[in-house]
Amino acid sequence: MTSSLIEAVDIKAPVSVSWSLWQDVERWPSFLSHVKHVERIDDSLFAWQVSLPGADKSFVAELTEVVPEDRIAWRTSEGVHHAGVVTFHRLSDTESRVTLQIEYDPKGFVEHLGALTNLDSTLANYDLGEFRRMAEHEAALLDPSPHRH
């Protein structure tokens, strides 16, 4: 049986800014604290190193769908089996919502990652708050109007 995890965050930044941060997979470690390193193998394959409580793991993930300013989807081809998608939603000219969905086999996931407690909450803490801070900071740099902080 597959488990699914969904997290969403509203950001005071246009979709273009949110998208620009996510589209560069190698930048993900800058806002996803459990992702230690992502290295591009080719146009669609990336080697990941993740650090979760009780386990440091590496796996290879393939980008399965990239639709600019709409969605990025991936699935693992080696290592810990999971699949994920990040979608981007325009709320207004200056606001967007980013939704992250992860699908995984809890039994296989726990077996691969070792003695991991609170798996869902660990995964759910995908540091979307940190991502929101980065996106809002970048949006503020792009918009020099005085009402921005």
Side-chain angles (χ1 to χ4, degrees):
M1 178 176 296
T2 301
S3 286
S4 187
L5 165 85
I6 300 175
E7 286 286 303
V9 63
D10 290 352
I11 300 165
K12 290 183 179 73
V15 165
S16 59
V17 171
S18 299
W19 168 261
S20 71
L21 289 172
W22 275 99
Q23 72 165 344
D24 183 356
V25 175
E26 290 168 289
R27 285 187 74 180
W28 290 11
S30 66
F31 55 84
L32 299 177
S33 65
H34 66 283
V35 178
K36 296 306 173 193
H37 185 70
V38 179
E39 183 178 344
R40 181 182 293 273
I41 297 171
D42 61 26
D43 284 348
S44 63
L45 286 178
F46 295 83
W48 296 42
Q49 289 181 316
V50 297
S51 180
L52 293 166
D56 287 344
K57 293 292 174 181
S58 298
F59 58 89
V60 174
E62 174 188 10
L63 293 180
T64 55
E65 187 179 16
V66 178
V67 180
E69 298 191 9
D70 182 52
R71 63 194 293 121
I72 299 172
W74 70 92
R75 68 168 179 255
T76 54
S77 55
E78 295 175 25
V80 178
H81 176 70
H82 78 275
V85 61
V86 180
T87 54
F88 302 85
H89 311 273
R90 180 187 183 278
L91 300 179
S92 72
D93 287 345
T94 58
E95 294 183 303
S96 56
R97 175 172 296 147
V98 174
T99 303
L100 172 69
Q101 182 170 351
I102 304 286
E103 306 244 340
Y104 62 96
D105 172 356
K107 185 169 182 282
F109 210 87
V110 172
E111 285 172 359
H112 279 95
L113 291 180
L116 185 61
T117 58
N118 299 323
L119 178 63
D120 286 350
S121 63
T122 300
L123 282 173
N125 185 17
Y126 251 80
D127 296 283
L128 290 179
E130 182 61 26
F131 172 75
R132 177 174 53 213
R133 283 188 290 278
M134 284 182 65
E136 290 178 354
H137 178 72
E138 293 217 357
L141 292 176
L142 294 171
D143 180 3
S145 61
H147 67 275
R148 290 274 184 175
H149 298 288

